Amino acid sequence: MNFPEDFLHYVWQFRSFDYSGLHTVAGESLKIINPGLLNKNAGPDFFHAKIEIDATTWAGNVEIHLRSSDWLKHHHQKDPAYENVILHVVYEHDAEIKRMDQTVLPVLELKNRISADLIKKYENLFLTLTDFPCIAQIGTVDPLIVDSFLARTLIERFELKTNAVIETLNELNGNWEETFYRFMARNFGFKINALPFEMIAKAVPQHIYSKHKNNPYQIEAMVFGAAGFLTDQLEEEYPRKLKAEFAFLRKKYNIEPVEVSVWKFMRMRPQNFPTIRLAQFAALMVKANHLFSKIMEIKEVNDLRILFEKLPVNDYWKTHYHFKKEAPGVNIQIGKDSVDNILLNTVALFLFAYGKYTATQFYISRAIKLLESLPAEENAITGKFRGAGVKIGHAFASQGILQLKKQYCNEKKCLSCGIGIKILKQA
């Protein structure tokens, strides 16, 4: 017996066993009218089942175990929640079980009713040491089934991310603008520098920048000052000017800079240095105020892109990667891939989160439309699934793949996965 109880849940739910001539271990005739609804919380495994035993129809719950004696091991004999169990389904019957009123619980043994082929398919999924269990079979599954389940995992992923958005929203007393600003700032860090970007967003709230929208130098000074890059001795005119501005603004707004050591530069292309990202972030603060409101109004993807393109980045950065590192020919604009990343991880997320929070399907649909218009992500995970024969045409699908891998493949939850269930059902 090389499978867990979950496998028997699958077998019972989909009637994937020989149910001809069914009878209980006591020899009573048995007919399954309705296997019931799978319960993923505490209590019996299946609710609202309906069976017929010796011409008597019973309605109630079904409990499933590998062995009958597991009922005793799990102390169900002392739990009133299990008094409405009408059938005990087990792989192997090894003990008579009685309810609290001492009536014998009917038992269906599946030991000789599950095909060896089905057990082998299950073992092939669960005992594999590959990158994900169905790597050898997923390419044979109907793309419609794969796409359908990826739609579900995409929604799961965005609902989980929405929880983090709502948590921050509550922290900020329902201020959507400030919540969006914090998440967007973190996104500008592109994982490796996400935390320090979030720290400077907390140090300098968005509404402070709006007070200085007509003075780019002051906005740039607050960004680089809060980031800790204006504490050293600086020789060039531009950084010295920023340092002087920040000395005043720091006192005015009580800005506490982060430690410059938190920023990561190692193993990174200069174009992605945090100093360049900070210059672009400052330029975005100069270009646009109330970004969340603007994004909620814009309906076309190209118009959303324009918000993050052609930013008024200071010309100083055309010849610098760092305040102390001159380099000619620097591209100071955010690249298309980076813009797509922001649209995916912040803009689409907030459209979805706002739609969920306000129960407005319009914004959820806009989020999905945006994801379907963005290219699929290219990374090690999506590469493995492509190699296995899965077509990933847009960001909607690639986000679904990431959730599938994290919540189902890594956890070996093939029996909760529409793709895994289809593979088990295939002849």
Side-chain angles (χ1 to χ4, degrees):
M1 191 193 315
N2 199 17
F3 49 78
E5 194 175 284
D6 285 352
F7 176 64
L8 293 185
H9 291 174
Y10 162 82
V11 168
W12 174 257
Q13 182 178 8
F14 296 101
R15 305 192 196 191
S16 298
F17 59 94
D18 177 10
Y19 48 87
S20 61
L22 283 181
H23 54 79
T24 67
V25 294
E28 303 157 307
S29 65
L30 174 65
K31 181 180 178 182
I32 302 168
I33 301 171
N34 188 328
L37 301 174
L38 179 63
N39 171 35
K40 295 185 178 181
N41 300 308
D45 294 317
F46 286 83
F47 289 151
H48 310 305
K50 185 179 287 188
I51 62 173
E52 184 181 289
I53 299 177
D54 273 354
T56 300
T57 300
W58 297 82
N61 304 326
V62 171
E63 179 67 3
I64 295 179
H65 287 122
L66 293 175
R67 295 179 176 85
S68 305
S69 57
D70 290 340
W71 181 282
L72 304 175
K73 290 180 182 177
H74 299 167
H75 305 292
H76 296 333
Q77 71 275 19
K78 301 175 183 179
D79 190 343
Y82 290 83
E83 282 301 281
N84 198 30
V85 169
I86 57 175
L87 183 67
H88 194 196
V89 179
V90 301
Y91 181 74
E92 184 177 5
H93 179 59
D94 64 346
E96 182 180 75
I97 302 300
K98 294 182 179 180
R99 300 184 181 92
M100 294 176 72
D101 64 1
Q102 297 305 301
T103 57
V104 177
L105 187 65
V107 178
L108 169 63
E109 184 181 62
L110 297 178
K111 187 172 184 179
N112 297 314
R113 292 182 174 272
I114 303 174
S115 73
D117 181 58
L118 179 60
I119 294 175
K120 185 64 176 177
K121 283 182 180 179
Y122 177 83
E123 290 174 345
N124 286 341
L125 281 177
F126 273 76
L127 301 182
T128 178
L129 297 178
T130 54
D131 292 289
F132 54 94
C134 64
I135 192 168
Q137 301 100 334
I138 193 169
T140 67
V141 178
D142 185 339
L144 289 176
I145 291 174
V146 175
D147 291 344
S148 175
F149 196 71
L150 291 182
R152 170 179 161 178
T153 57
L154 176 280
I155 298 300
E156 287 179 4
R157 183 174 180 84
F158 267 56
E159 285 179 342
L160 286 172
K161 288 186 172 185
T162 292
N163 293 337
V165 171
I166 302 306
E167 184 178 334
T168 302
L169 180 71
N170 292 335
E171 177 189 332
L172 294 171
N173 299 315
N175 189 329
W176 279 97
E177 289 284 353
E178 194 67 25
T179 303
F180 179 83
Y181 161 72
R182 283 200 186 176
F183 275 75
M184 186 191 61
R186 185 176 178 86
N187 200 164
F188 257 77
F190 294 96
K191 290 187 178 179
I192 193 167
N193 281 305
L195 180 58
F197 257 100
E198 183 179 5
M199 292 167 70
I200 67 168
K202 291 180 178 180
V204 187
Q206 180 183 227
H207 69 87
I208 292 179
Y209 294 125
S210 64
K211 297 177 181 180
H212 299 267
K213 61 183 179 181
N214 295 321
N215 193 327
Y217 277 109
Q218 291 183 331
I219 290 178
E220 293 161 15
M222 284 188 282
V223 170
F224 282 103
F229 285 101
L230 300 178
T231 57
D232 290 345
Q233 187 68 31
L234 300 167
E235 298 179 0
E236 295 175 294
E237 180 182 358
Y238 171 69
R240 283 194 293 109
K241 185 174 181 179
L242 294 184
K243 186 174 182 178
E245 290 282 2
F246 183 63
F248 165 72
L249 294 166
R250 178 179 182 178
K251 292 180 180 178
K252 181 176 181 178
Y253 296 115
N254 194 28
I255 301 171
E256 190 60 39
V258 304
E259 291 291 333
V260 73
S261 60
V262 302
W263 297 97
K264 304 293 191 297
F265 286 83
M266 294 296 289
R267 289 184 288 278
M268 187 182 298
R269 292 191 305 115
Q271 185 60 43
N272 293 326
F273 276 4
T275 40
I276 299 298
R277 294 299 186 197
L278 286 165
Q280 294 165 345
F281 181 73
L284 180 61
M285 295 299 99
V286 171
K287 180 180 179 180
N289 292 297
H290 306 297
L291 272 169
F292 177 72
S293 298
K294 287 183 171 63
I295 281 165
M296 298 304 285
E297 295 169 1
I298 295 173
K299 297 180 181 179
E300 298 300 323
V301 176
N302 288 337
D303 293 334
L304 285 172
R305 290 184 185 281
I306 289 171
L307 278 178
F308 301 95
E309 294 174 345
K310 297 181 180 179
L311 297 176
V313 181
N314 193 288
D315 286 345
Y316 173 86
W317 297 104
K318 290 182 178 179
T319 57
H320 292 77
Y321 283 124
H322 200 289
F323 284 128
K324 298 180 180 180
K325 186 169 292 189
E326 190 167 350
V330 179
N331 180 6
I332 59 175
Q333 294 299 322
I334 303 178
K336 181 182 179 300
D337 289 347
S338 295
V339 172
D340 286 344
N341 187 293
I342 293 170
L343 293 178
L344 165 60
N345 290 300
T346 302
V347 175
L349 170 60
F350 269 75
L351 287 170
F352 184 92
Y354 187 79
K356 278 287 182 179
Y357 187 79
T358 61
T360 309
Q361 184 61 39
F362 171 74
Y363 293 107
I364 296 174
S365 298
R366 276 189 58 199
I368 291 172
K369 182 180 177 182
L370 175 56
L371 290 170
E372 290 175 336
S373 71
L374 295 172
E377 297 148 281
E378 299 288 344
N379 53 49
I381 293 175
T382 56
K384 294 291 185 182
F385 278 85
R386 279 199 180 92
V390 179
K391 293 183 179 179
I392 310 173
H394 40 57
F396 183 99
S398 61
Q399 282 284 292
I401 286 288
L402 296 179
Q403 181 73 3
L404 174 68
K405 180 69 165 64
K406 181 179 180 180
Q407 296 296 332
Y408 292 85
C409 302
N410 291 354
E411 301 297 323
K412 298 275 189 177
K413 292 183 177 179
C414 303
L415 298 176
S416 298
C417 171
I419 300 168
I421 288 172
K422 181 61 179 178
I423 290 170
L424 287 174
K425 284 184 175 181
Q426 286 176 341

